[in-house]
Amino acid sequence: MPATTSGANATPNGSAKSRDHNQGNQDKKYTDDQKAAVIRVRRCSATAFYEILGIEKTASDAEIKKAYRKLSLLTHPDKNGYEGADEAFKLVSRAFQVLSDSDKKSKFDRFGGDPDNRFGPGSASSASPFSGFARSPGGRGPMFEDEISPEELFNRFFGGGGVGGGPFGKIDIDAKKDHANLTRGGGMFDTGPQFVFNLGGGPGIRVHQFGGGRPRRRPRDANGNNEESPQSALSALSNLLPLLILFVLPLLSSIFSSSTPSGPSFRFHSPEPPYTEKRTTPRLKVDYYLNPNDVTDYSGRKMKELDHRAENNYVTNLQYDCQIEMRTRNRMMEDAQGWFFQDVDKMREARNYDMKSYSLSEADKIRNKRLAKLGSQNSVVSKNAGEQSTDGSSVSQSSKPPAPQVANHEQTAPKINVAKPTENSNPNETSLNQAVRKQFTGDAERMNMSATSGNSRSSRKLPTSTEGRSTPRTGETLAEWEDRTLSGVFRLSVDPNVKQDAQGHHLYCTQGVREELEEQGEPIRLSTSILDQALVEAGSNTGKATPLEYLLGCWKRVSRQLRSYKGQNVDDAKFEIIKEARRLCMSYCIFAVTIPDMFGREQSAINPLVPHLLVDPEDDKGLCHEFLTEAITRIPEDDTIQPILVGAVEDLSGQLATKTMNDDYRSYLGALRNLVRYPGLVKAIAQSPRFLPPSATAADLEATTLLGPFFAISPLQGEVTTTYFSSPKTRDRNFITNSQRALRMSLSTHQQDLLDIVNHIIKADKDSRERMLDWFALCVNSNHKRRAMQVDEKQVSSDGFMINLTVCLDQLCEPFMDAQFTKIDRIDVDYLRRTPRVDIKEETKLNADQGASDNFYNRPAEGQSNFISEIFFLTLAAHHYGSEAANNKMSQLEKDLKRMEKHIEEIELDRHKFVNDPLRLRMFENAVNKFKDQIEKGLSYKYAVQGVLLDDQNQLRTMQFMRYVIVWLFRLVAPASQFPKKPLKLPLALDQPEVFKCLPEYFLEDVVGAYRFVMLNMPWNISSTQSDELIMICITFLRSSEYIKNPYLKAGLVTIMCHGIWPIPNRSKGVLGDMLCSLPIATEHLLHALMKFYIEVENTGAHTQFYDKFNIRYEIFQIIKCIWSNPLYREELDRESKVNVDFFVRFVNLLLNDVTFVLDESLSAFQQIHSLSNELKMSQNIEQAIRTEKEEALSAAQGKAKSYMQLTNETVAMLKLFTKALADSFTMPEIVQRLADMLDYNLDVMVGPKRKDLVVENPKEYGFQPGVLLGDIVDVYLNLGKKDAFVTAVARDGRSYKPANFDEATRFLSTKLHRPPQEVHEWTALGQKFKKAKEVDDQAEEDLGEIPDDFLDPLIYTLMEDPVILPTSKTTIDRSTIRSHLLSDPNDPFNRSPLKIEDVIPDTELKAKIEAFKLEKRGAKSANVMDTSSG
């Protein structure tokens, strides 16, 4: 193995240093790209090969090579000095090795995992019993597949370093600096390095070695010279130094140490001079007595140490006595068993053997059980044990006390039931008897109940089975096989001279066990009857490793050994031995966790299982499936297991709460995924207090709840965004897109893992499912403030947490969301009236006030809510407070960033003020840099949020869910249709269903927000079926707009359709345009729906309604322009003008209001821009304050011109379309005069003397095209020019009508706009028509002479044609005037009281007088004409 792989470096002096200390790249620098690449790769799982290379699963070989070439250059340790570059380089190399090999890639795609790992899911070990043997670079075939180092792979790929080999070949790899030089070579009989494998593993299995000569040695010098130099005396002494330390120092210590105890003596029985001072140990409440004179100078700390020492002595001696008596009893039972038959009397005597150490009162049951569990075996095997004092009353620190008399302090403690129950248990046996027997003998008599047991451990020979993988050696007895097997499995030795097994593994010498066996005259060999003591002794002497680490390795070995007996005769004695050894191993694993004192260890602050859960389960230190299964199986009989497992999950959660996606979070997620696969454990986890803390707030959910830290992991965390998008302002679009793709790949994997965890919890049992739903509800209900106008991020959960929650719930909905909606009836709306988990009390309702809503929901519904309803309504709430809130935040963030950028530009204008003051300049730059840093962070966050939200798969899932919501809403508003079985009938019924009116507004708002986001960012993801239903819901609630109270929610429906007609590649009318032109429901109802909302939006109730209406109407214009090519819509408009006259007139009136306003605002803004620009150019010496004021006014005018001009163009274009189609409708008396006045005024501005004031620089920057605008106005004139009412109205405009303007417009049409001669001629004729009409009208007015004031309209001062009396103010006014007024204002113009046109009273008397007045004047005119003629 190369040195780079093993993690060691060869140095000139022969010492090996850890790669962590010397990677060879400490002095190298790195770029941001190199750092980002290392961090991204290291964050990937070791077997996420596609994710590592950043490619899709469908990538071609060329793409794989291209990705490897790029990443290997970025992460190569010789080129990249960032920490961890070498690890990233190895991951990249391994990924390329697998994906560039077709066989390995195929296995990986099919099974996942590393295809070369025989324990992984992608291995073929199940197919071949020889798969997974160690491979050699010089081997042949699949068993010896070539495995090369990352450096070799790099050199091969980029053409550096030759690779030869074969039976006669040679491989020379010149590693980079600080790496060992490795040379493999030889001839036919010395090919390649050695390799070792074993057939099945386990003790007693033969190990074979092939290939190579002698083992490879580490280079001795920098030149790779392998010749050994002679040893010096100093070198020899240094080699002997460890032995001297090991043997000489203890000898010297024993020589010079005193035999007196190191602390005061004490006794346990009762006080007896001088031991009169009573103390009680704090933990076990053991009473003991000591000499007051011995502790006069003891501090509080020393007294605590003394308590601990007394407690240990008490437990140690109790254990010692118990063991002796138990072994005596066991020997008696073995003797009673006999060779051929059992001696019943002896067996009865053995079972009734009086064990005095157990003779304690029943009153001490609970406390003694705990005492028995907390003991340590260290003192049993200690060589420093003292002798009991002669009177048996006082003992030193190391002396053994007599049988204790324990005070009656009842303690509640969890029970530990290590051993299985036996049929031969003594019914009179005390609780301490049972606890000690089960703990330290493992119920040894169970093993001695076999009819084939001998009368002693040394001579028993049980029948052996010829089956099984491990057979006795020739002449080997069962006891010898048992000793050899247990030694190999548990790596124990009772012979101090045997320190390694045949495979070279270190063996733990159990000296204490050996001494006891010698003392009892037993054969010096291991057996299950003494295995418990051996395990405690070995576990107490593991050095830096913990007892649990040692025992977990033993567990895996003994489990493998037991598996080898599957399918064989389970009555085999060897099977029973292994089974018992496995049971004991598990018991002591539990003790190592729950009672570390037993092994001389202090209780750890961190749950001992946590480090082992974080490693691979197949690792010797990991918790494998068998271990967890066995531990969970014991939960009913051992109440210490469940708390320690649940505590491990809680500690995992607590540790993960401090980590981000930049850290190693996958191991925590993997640990929880492994644990939730056990339903029994899931139930306990769900009942943990941390699963649903009673006082958790929105800000605490991610840290204090058990699942919170797992859902909090996201690319939107803290510094993770800047890791993905470092220096975002300097990055091009490709970099950002690739980073977002990598971000989504990591997040998608994480979200799938979260779903797996949640699924296992939900499926475990009913209680766990309910707790899981409660947790989801807690998350959404506590985050209502995320939809506030101003969100305090410190009081709510993060975007990443809530998005993960939403995605998980979306996936939980998938099983019941089929294309045929077969399960949609399972969504029970009455769920909301059965004390729902989702809190909707304070939510705004679709069309009900708070009182009506409370009245409805205070009437509870009967029945039971189902799981589908629970998940459906939780998912709706999660979208509202999760992804939709994130959408809104991203929109606001974009606005904030633009504002901050502008602010930076303004600040930079003041830099010149500090140029000559270095101190103030430095302060200025610091302030600017801090501001820029905030912008950088904000921009990184924006890109990260975009990357998360623009996930195709998640958005498709969201749209699938929203489609279900749409259909469900249709069934509520039209239950008889059972949509989509039957089509909807529009408009909807006037009587709205109460249940719909009282639904939370966000039920529809979620649909609008989701589709608006998709339409704006990824419209190509919307299918044709979804488009149909989307158009239907938009038209339905715009046509029956009274069903929805909020005008901005209806405006969202318009926005969806507007975005849906924007052109995209291959679709000039977007994803909705063609369907809006063809769907029957659209051609029949869309135009009316748009006109209706155009009218409604005049008053939204918001303080911004004046500006909002123009934005909404702009989108309405866009939709009408898209559909206008279909003649069906023109016919629909004509029908509306004839059938719904008042409705149509009101629409046209508002349209004229808009045209008038926006044209006036736009043109006045250009006049202001023209004026201010000239002033600033001409006035070079004006004061700075005045200049600044004028510049600000100019900037405001420019912004105003841009915003209004866009709306002006669309409004005039719409007027042009409508007047061409419906000239008669636009010449109604209520409309025509206002229309004529507006056109005359704007024509005067465009071509009259004031047109020079419209000249500005770069008019296209504002969307101002004077020629196009003038052409549209001319077209409106021409569209209406054939109507006499319009001609008369133009002629009567005394304010703006000027014949010269028409002549000037004619010149523009022919010379500037290049209109066809026919249109120019038509325009000229129309101008003459207006001129003649003006002359006629002036003559008629002159003929009328002085008109009485009573005949004049009080608002416009013209002769009334149809006078009416207003009912409240009693004012007389012309009908056309008041009708026109009411189109914009529903109140009496004279007293502001409400007024309808139906309420006015015709003034027939006044009308008769006016008619008589006109006849009189006309008669007088005729008489004058006759007189003139006669004269």
Side-chain angles (χ1 to χ4, degrees):
M1 180 183 292
T4 55
T5 305
S6 65
N9 295 327
T11 57
N13 61 1
S15 63
K17 293 185 178 180
S18 169
R19 186 178 63 242
D20 294 337
H21 296 154
N22 188 5
Q23 299 183 73
N25 61 356
Q26 281 76 1
D27 297 330
K28 293 184 176 63
K29 297 183 179 180
Y30 54 86
T31 65
D32 288 341
D33 287 342
Q34 289 176 321
K35 174 182 175 182
V38 170
I39 293 175
R40 184 189 70 77
V41 170
R42 292 186 65 194
R43 189 163 45 241
C44 299
S45 170
T47 56
F49 300 135
Y50 290 108
E51 186 179 350
I52 289 171
L53 295 183
I55 56 178
E56 301 292 340
K57 195 172 182 179
T58 57
S60 63
D61 291 343
E63 290 172 332
I64 293 173
K65 291 179 181 179
K66 180 179 179 182
Y68 170 71
R69 181 184 295 108
K70 177 180 177 182
L71 277 176
S72 60
L73 291 174
L74 278 175
T75 58
H76 197 290
D78 287 348
K79 305 176 185 297
N80 187 340
Y82 186 70
E83 182 181 358
D86 55 342
E87 296 179 19
F89 179 62
K90 289 179 183 179
L91 289 172
V92 171
S93 301
R94 183 56 185 158
F96 178 67
Q97 278 184 292
V98 172
L99 298 183
S100 61
D101 186 306
S102 58
D103 291 337
K104 292 181 181 179
K105 185 174 183 291
S106 175
K107 291 179 183 178
F108 175 73
D109 290 341
R110 288 175 60 196
F111 306 108
D114 193 330
D116 290 338
N117 179 10
R118 66 189 178 113
F119 298 107
S123 68
S125 57
S126 59
S128 170
F130 300 102
S131 63
F133 289 167
R135 296 174 172 85
S136 168
R140 293 286 186 271
M143 188 155 98
F144 308 103
E145 183 177 345
D146 190 16
E147 180 173 323
I148 61 178
S149 72
E151 284 288 346
E152 293 175 80
L153 180 65
F154 184 85
N155 289 335
R156 283 189 185 183
F157 192 90
F158 290 96
V163 179
F168 307 98
K170 188 177 190 179
I171 300 177
D172 293 321
I173 300 174
D174 295 327
K176 304 295 182 181
K177 68 174 185 178
D178 295 328
H179 291 276
N181 293 323
L182 171 64
T183 301
R184 301 191 198 125
M188 179 181 296
F189 304 103
D190 190 15
T191 59
Q194 306 172 36
F195 64 94
V196 179
F197 65 91
N198 63 62
L199 298 176
I205 306 303
R206 191 160 301 174
V207 177
H208 302 270
Q209 177 173 301
F210 293 89
R214 59 182 181 179
R216 188 185 62 205
R217 296 173 180 258
R218 189 178 300 276
R220 296 299 183 185
D221 53 41
N223 297 323
N225 185 5
N226 289 331
E227 295 181 3
E228 298 183 13
S229 58
Q231 271 192 333
S232 64
L234 183 59
S235 176
L237 180 60
S238 66
N239 290 336
L240 291 175
L241 187 58
L243 295 176
L244 294 175
I245 294 174
L246 184 62
F247 293 107
V248 177
L249 289 183
L251 180 62
L252 294 175
S253 176
S254 63
I255 292 174
F256 294 104
S257 63
S258 172
S259 60
T260 59
S262 60
S265 300
F266 43 78
R267 61 174 289 123
F268 291 98
H269 246 319
S270 58
E272 181 176 319
Y275 305 102
T276 57
E277 182 175 334
K278 179 181 177 181
R279 286 190 63 81
T280 303
T281 62
R283 184 174 53 174
L284 302 182
K285 308 302 180 185
V286 176
D287 296 334
Y288 70 98
Y289 303 87
L290 50 80
N291 187 345
N293 297 329
D294 291 344
V295 295
T296 53
D297 58 344
Y298 268 42
S299 63
R301 184 176 61 82
K302 282 191 173 183
M303 292 303 293
K304 289 181 180 179
E305 292 176 355
L306 182 61
D307 290 342
H308 184 69
R309 195 162 67 239
E311 192 173 86
N312 283 345
N313 275 7
Y314 175 83
V315 175
T316 298
N317 288 282
L318 175 63
Q319 295 167 351
Y320 181 81
D321 291 341
C322 291
Q323 284 187 349
I324 295 300
E325 291 171 350
M326 284 300 298
R327 294 192 184 285
T328 302
R329 182 186 179 204
N330 289 343
R331 281 197 303 273
M332 293 173 64
M333 293 178 71
E334 287 178 357
D335 293 340
Q337 188 64 43
W339 280 95
F340 303 105
F341 59 88
Q342 186 183 87
D343 189 325
V344 178
D345 294 335
K346 286 188 177 182
M347 183 61 72
R348 184 184 303 110
E349 180 183 357
R351 289 175 179 168
N352 294 331
Y353 174 70
D354 183 16
M355 293 182 284
K356 297 181 180 179
S357 296
Y358 291 166
S359 58
L360 299 176
S361 66
E362 289 294 326
D364 296 330
K365 271 186 178 181
I366 298 174
R367 184 168 147 274
N368 288 340
K369 187 184 296 185
R370 184 177 182 188
L371 293 178
K373 291 190 297 183
L374 288 172
S376 169
Q377 288 295 308
N378 292 338
S379 55
V380 175
V381 297
S382 174
K383 296 296 294 179
N384 298 324
E387 296 181 357
Q388 184 176 350
S389 60
T390 54
D391 60 358
S393 60
S394 64
V395 290
S396 68
Q397 176 191 0
S398 56
S399 63
K400 180 178 73 70
Q405 299 291 333
V406 185
N408 187 8
H409 298 287
E410 291 198 7
Q411 297 274 331
T412 302
K415 63 179 182 178
I416 297 181
N417 188 0
V418 177
K420 299 180 180 179
T422 63
E423 297 177 0
N424 300 319
S425 300
N426 186 347
N428 299 321
E429 192 175 21
T430 65
S431 59
L432 179 60
N433 184 322
Q434 296 172 5
V436 174
R437 173 174 54 76
K438 291 178 181 180
Q439 178 184 348
F440 296 105
T441 70
D443 205 4
E445 58 264 41
R446 178 182 175 283
M447 291 299 299
N448 297 325
M449 290 292 293
S450 172
T452 58
S453 298
N455 58 1
S456 70
R457 190 164 31 239
S458 60
S459 60
R460 64 176 179 173
K461 295 184 179 180
L462 302 181
T464 60
S465 171
T466 58
E467 300 178 4
R469 298 184 63 179
S470 180
T471 57
R473 297 174 180 174
T474 305
E476 184 180 46
T477 65
L478 180 61
E480 292 170 343
W481 177 90
E482 181 179 15
D483 172 60
R484 177 170 56 83
T485 301
L486 295 181
S487 174
V489 168
F490 294 96
R491 293 181 180 168
L492 300 173
S493 171
V494 290
D495 186 350
N497 296 320
V498 179
K499 298 180 180 179
Q500 288 184 337
D501 62 9
Q503 288 82 18
H505 299 128
H506 169 72
L507 298 181
Y508 294 92
C509 180
T510 53
Q511 183 66 26
V513 172
R514 179 183 180 85
E515 291 176 357
E516 183 172 342
L517 291 173
E518 289 176 347
E519 182 180 337
Q520 301 297 327
E522 299 282 351
I524 310 302
R525 60 169 66 110
L526 290 172
S527 67
T528 54
S529 61
I530 203 170
L531 180 61
D532 50 359
Q533 181 177 336
L535 290 177
V536 173
E537 184 174 351
S540 302
N541 296 280
T542 55
K544 293 183 179 180
T546 65
L548 183 59
E549 289 180 20
Y550 160 70
L551 290 167
L552 285 175
C554 297
W555 168 264
K556 287 183 171 59
R557 291 187 292 274
V558 74
S559 294
R560 284 195 293 269
Q561 190 77 4
L562 186 66
R563 284 197 299 271
S564 67
Y565 285 89
K566 284 187 177 180
Q568 302 182 29
N569 182 10
V570 295
D571 294 330
D572 191 337
K574 293 181 295 180
F575 175 80
E576 290 297 327
I577 291 172
I578 297 299
K579 187 176 179 181
E580 177 67 7
R582 184 176 182 268
R583 185 186 65 79
L584 286 172
C585 184
M586 170 55 71
S587 299
Y588 280 89
C589 284
I590 296 172
F591 286 152
V593 175
T594 59
I595 317 174
D597 291 6
M598 178 180 291
F599 300 92
R601 302 294 179 111
E602 295 292 334
Q603 189 72 41
S604 172
I606 300 175
N607 189 294
L609 293 180
V610 169
H612 303 282
L613 286 168
L614 295 177
V615 299
D616 191 306
E618 297 303 323
D619 188 278
D620 274 354
K621 296 180 181 179
L623 302 184
C624 62
H625 170 71
E626 288 180 314
F627 179 90
L628 292 172
T629 302
E630 178 69 17
I632 293 168
T633 303
R634 293 192 179 198
I635 287 179
E637 62 187 47
D638 188 342
D639 53 13
T640 64
I641 298 176
Q642 179 172 304
I644 198 68
L645 288 173
V646 175
V649 177
E650 292 174 346
D651 282 4
L652 283 171
S653 175
Q655 291 183 18
L656 185 60
T658 64
K659 299 183 180 297
T660 68
M661 200 170 246
N662 281 344
D663 303 314
D664 178 22
Y665 68 93
R666 290 183 180 275
S667 56
Y668 292 86
L669 206 65
L672 184 59
R673 287 187 66 194
N674 287 336
L675 293 175
V676 296
R677 300 187 190 283
Y678 305 93
L681 181 57
V682 169
K683 185 175 182 180
I685 293 172
Q687 296 302 320
S688 166
R690 281 199 58 191
F691 196 90
L692 278 175
S695 58
T697 63
D700 299 333
L701 290 174
E702 298 173 54
T704 60
T705 64
L706 200 65
L707 295 179
F710 296 91
F711 277 80
I713 293 295
S714 167
L716 305 183
Q717 286 179 294
E719 297 301 321
V720 181
T721 57
T722 55
T723 301
Y724 276 104
F725 305 99
S726 57
S727 304
K729 295 187 71 173
T730 64
R731 300 297 185 178
D732 59 18
R733 191 63 214 171
N734 287 336
F735 176 88
I736 293 170
T737 302
N738 291 333
S739 297
Q740 289 176 335
R741 185 181 297 114
L743 174 151
R744 284 193 292 269
M745 291 174 66
S746 297
L747 182 60
S748 177
T749 302
H750 177 61
Q751 288 171 343
Q752 287 298 321
D753 290 342
L754 292 177
L755 175 66
D756 183 59
I757 292 169
V758 171
N759 259 328
H760 278 91
I761 296 175
I762 287 175
K763 294 177 181 178
D765 70 325
K766 182 180 179 181
D767 290 340
S768 300
R769 180 174 68 247
E770 295 298 309
R771 296 277 286 178
M772 189 72 246
L773 294 176
D774 287 339
W775 185 79
F776 281 132
L778 172 66
C779 294
V780 296
N781 291 334
S782 59
N783 273 289
H784 284 202
K785 291 183 179 179
R786 279 178 58 83
R787 296 310 299 264
M789 294 296 294
Q790 297 292 332
V791 180
D792 184 353
E793 300 296 334
K794 296 180 180 179
Q795 295 184 8
V796 296
S797 300
S798 67
D799 289 334
F801 174 83
M802 293 302 294
I803 289 174
N804 285 340
L805 190 82
T806 305
V807 171
C808 183
L809 284 167
D810 270 341
Q811 292 172 309
L812 290 176
C813 291
E814 283 187 315
F816 65 81
M817 292 192 302
D818 59 314
Q820 289 74 36
F821 304 97
T822 57
K823 298 182 180 179
I824 197 168
D825 290 333
R826 299 285 303 280
I827 302 172
D828 186 3
V829 71
D830 285 336
Y831 163 84
L832 299 172
R833 293 196 291 152
R834 298 194 191 106
T835 316
R837 283 185 168 87
V838 180
D839 182 12
I840 63 171
K841 184 176 181 181
E842 301 299 326
E843 293 293 338
T844 304
K845 305 307 186 292
L846 277 171
N847 203 16
D849 57 25
Q850 191 64 42
S853 173
D854 291 344
N855 181 56
F856 176 74
Y857 287 111
N858 287 337
R859 303 194 305 267
E862 297 180 356
Q864 186 83 17
S865 297
N866 55 61
F867 179 73
I868 290 179
S869 298
E870 294 272 12
I871 288 295
F872 178 79
F873 290 108
L874 280 170
T875 306
L876 269 173
H879 273 282
H880 185 59
Y881 301 113
S883 56
E884 293 306 312
N887 288 346
N888 292 346
K889 181 177 179 179
M890 185 175 70
S891 301
Q892 185 60 44
L893 180 61
E894 290 177 340
K895 296 177 183 177
D896 292 341
L897 287 173
K898 290 180 181 177
R899 188 166 54 251
M900 293 170 71
E901 290 280 4
K902 185 176 180 180
H903 187 54
I904 283 286
E905 293 175 1
E906 294 173 354
I907 292 175
E908 286 290 351
L909 295 176
D910 295 332
R911 179 178 290 274
H912 67 278
K913 298 179 181 179
F914 311 108
V915 172
N916 297 323
D917 188 341
L919 179 60
R920 295 181 65 190
L921 180 61
R922 187 163 57 251
M923 294 172 62
F924 174 83
E925 289 178 343
N926 289 338
V928 170
N929 289 335
K930 287 181 180 179
F931 212 75
K932 288 182 178 179
D933 288 343
Q934 291 300 316
I935 293 177
E936 291 271 325
K937 290 180 180 179
L939 198 57
S940 296
Y941 190 83
K942 170 192 165 183
Y943 289 146
V945 174
Q946 286 178 341
V948 171
L949 295 178
L950 296 177
D951 185 291
D952 286 338
Q953 190 63 37
N954 286 343
Q955 289 299 337
L956 288 172
R957 198 178 291 117
T958 294
M959 285 188 290
Q960 182 185 10
F961 175 76
M962 293 306 168
R963 183 184 176 213
Y964 243 68
V965 177
I966 290 173
V967 175
W968 181 74
L969 289 174
F970 282 157
R971 293 198 175 194
L972 287 183
V973 296
S977 70
Q978 287 294 295
F979 184 85
K981 295 179 182 178
K982 298 178 182 178
L984 282 177
K985 293 183 179 180
L986 297 182
L988 298 174
L990 294 177
D991 186 16
Q992 302 178 28
E994 186 179 17
V995 64
F996 179 82
K997 293 167 62 176
C998 295
L999 286 180
E1001 195 175 83
Y1002 71 74
F1003 280 28
L1004 184 58
E1005 188 179 356
D1006 283 355
V1007 176
V1008 172
Y1011 277 105
R1012 183 167 51 193
F1013 178 83
V1014 173
M1015 282 293 184
L1016 186 62
N1017 297 283
M1018 46 207 319
W1020 50 85
N1021 282 340
I1022 299 179
S1023 66
S1024 58
T1025 304
Q1026 291 170 336
S1027 299
D1028 289 353
E1029 290 155 356
L1030 186 56
I1031 289 173
M1032 290 183 67
I1033 196 169
C1034 292
I1035 295 176
T1036 297
F1037 290 114
L1038 289 174
R1039 182 68 176 83
S1040 299
S1041 58
E1042 59 275 5
Y1043 271 63
I1044 301 174
K1045 182 171 56 176
N1046 185 352
Y1048 292 99
L1049 186 53
K1050 290 178 278 190
L1053 299 173
V1054 175
T1055 301
I1056 289 174
M1057 290 190 288
C1058 180
H1059 290 174
I1061 62 175
W1062 287 358
I1064 61 174
N1066 302 322
R1067 301 172 101 171
S1068 61
K1069 290 187 176 181
V1071 295
L1072 299 183
D1074 292 334
M1075 292 185 177
L1076 288 174
C1077 290
S1078 59
L1079 281 180
I1081 191 174
T1083 56
E1084 186 177 352
H1085 298 287
L1086 176 58
L1087 188 61
H1088 181 92
L1090 293 174
M1091 293 170 65
K1092 183 178 181 180
F1093 189 56
Y1094 189 100
I1095 296 170
E1096 288 181 5
V1097 82
E1098 180 71 16
N1099 297 292
T1100 64
H1103 68 282
T1104 58
Q1105 66 177 14
F1106 183 77
Y1107 302 99
D1108 294 338
K1109 69 180 181 182
F1110 291 117
N1111 294 327
I1112 296 169
R1113 286 170 177 171
Y1114 172 81
E1115 294 180 340
I1116 291 176
F1117 293 152
Q1118 299 298 310
I1119 299 170
I1120 293 176
K1121 283 173 60 179
C1122 175
I1123 63 177
W1124 201 247
S1125 59
N1126 187 342
L1128 291 176
Y1129 283 105
R1130 295 195 289 274
E1131 294 173 5
E1132 179 65 21
L1133 183 63
D1134 183 55
R1135 186 165 50 251
E1136 291 288 348
S1137 68
K1138 295 175 181 177
V1139 176
N1140 299 318
V1141 178
D1142 289 342
F1143 171 80
F1144 181 79
V1145 168
R1146 190 174 181 191
F1147 167 74
V1148 172
N1149 182 71
L1150 292 174
L1151 177 62
L1152 294 179
N1153 287 347
D1154 290 347
V1155 174
T1156 303
F1157 176 79
V1158 297
L1159 262 173
D1160 185 60
E1161 289 294 312
S1162 300
L1163 298 179
S1164 63
F1166 288 120
Q1167 292 171 351
Q1168 191 177 5
I1169 293 171
H1170 176 81
S1171 174
L1172 290 170
S1173 298
N1174 288 338
E1175 288 180 16
L1176 289 172
K1177 288 180 180 177
M1178 301 298 293
S1179 305
Q1180 298 294 332
N1181 299 323
I1182 60 175
E1183 295 181 5
Q1184 182 62 37
I1186 298 176
R1187 174 175 288 276
T1188 301
E1189 182 180 351
K1190 289 184 179 295
E1191 287 174 346
E1192 291 175 353
L1194 176 61
S1195 177
Q1198 290 171 337
K1200 180 181 177 181
K1202 287 180 182 178
S1203 59
Y1204 278 117
M1205 198 62 227
Q1206 188 178 20
L1207 188 59
T1208 297
N1209 293 333
E1210 296 299 328
T1211 310
V1212 174
M1214 193 58 50
L1215 181 63
K1216 174 183 171 181
L1217 289 178
F1218 285 173
T1219 55
K1220 183 177 182 180
L1222 300 171
D1224 289 336
S1225 301
F1226 281 86
T1227 55
M1228 293 179 179
E1230 300 89 345
I1231 298 171
V1232 65
Q1233 191 60 55
R1234 294 188 62 241
L1235 176 57
D1237 293 346
M1238 181 271 295
L1239 291 172
D1240 290 342
Y1241 172 78
N1242 288 290
L1243 183 65
D1244 183 48
V1245 173
M1246 295 292 295
V1247 301
K1250 297 180 180 179
R1251 70 174 183 268
K1252 294 180 180 179
D1253 295 338
L1254 299 179
V1255 177
V1256 295
E1257 296 179 359
N1258 302 320
K1260 290 186 179 180
E1261 180 183 347
Y1262 310 100
F1264 182 36
Q1265 295 176 289
V1268 175
L1269 182 58
L1270 177 61
D1272 287 343
I1273 293 174
V1274 168
D1275 287 338
V1276 175
Y1277 273 109
L1278 294 174
N1279 291 339
L1280 303 175
K1282 296 179 181 180
K1283 305 298 178 181
D1284 292 338
F1286 177 70
V1287 173
T1288 302
V1290 171
R1292 286 182 178 177
D1293 180 13
R1295 176 190 175 194
S1296 302
Y1297 170 69
K1298 300 173 184 177
N1301 289 340
F1302 288 86
D1303 297 335
E1304 189 66 20
T1306 302
R1307 187 178 66 83
F1308 273 103
L1309 289 175
S1310 58
T1311 60
K1312 301 289 185 182
L1313 303 183
H1314 305 290
R1315 287 292 187 95
Q1318 183 179 354
E1319 287 188 13
V1320 176
H1321 177 72
E1322 186 179 354
W1323 173 256
T1324 304
L1326 183 60
Q1328 293 300 319
K1329 196 173 183 179
F1330 290 147
K1331 187 182 295 185
K1332 290 179 181 179
K1334 175 65 173 173
E1335 293 174 355
V1336 172
D1337 190 67
D1338 288 346
Q1339 185 61 49
E1341 186 176 352
E1342 182 180 345
D1343 292 342
L1344 290 175
E1346 189 71 23
I1347 300 175
D1349 291 342
D1350 293 343
F1351 296 171
L1352 292 175
D1353 185 278
L1355 288 182
I1356 60 177
Y1357 297 99
T1358 59
L1359 181 65
M1360 291 185 286
E1361 299 290 338
D1362 184 11
V1364 294
I1365 301 172
L1366 303 183
T1368 56
S1369 64
K1370 305 301 181 182
T1371 303
T1372 300
I1373 191 170
D1374 193 66
R1375 183 183 295 273
S1376 63
T1377 303
I1378 192 62
R1379 182 187 291 273
S1380 179
H1381 168 80
L1382 291 177
L1383 292 175
S1384 302
D1385 187 352
N1387 299 311
D1388 187 322
F1390 300 101
N1391 63 4
R1392 306 304 301 163
S1393 60
L1395 178 65
K1396 295 181 180 179
I1397 193 63
E1398 297 84 2
D1399 299 334
V1400 300
I1401 304 168
D1403 192 342
T1404 54
E1405 181 181 353
L1406 181 59
K1407 183 175 182 180
K1409 291 179 181 180
I1410 294 173
E1411 291 296 329
F1413 171 76
K1414 290 195 292 184
L1415 286 174
E1416 179 185 353
K1417 292 296 184 179
R1418 288 170 186 165
K1421 173 66 176 176
S1422 298
N1424 291 336
V1425 171
M1426 291 177 65
D1427 291 343
T1428 305
S1429 300
S1430 60

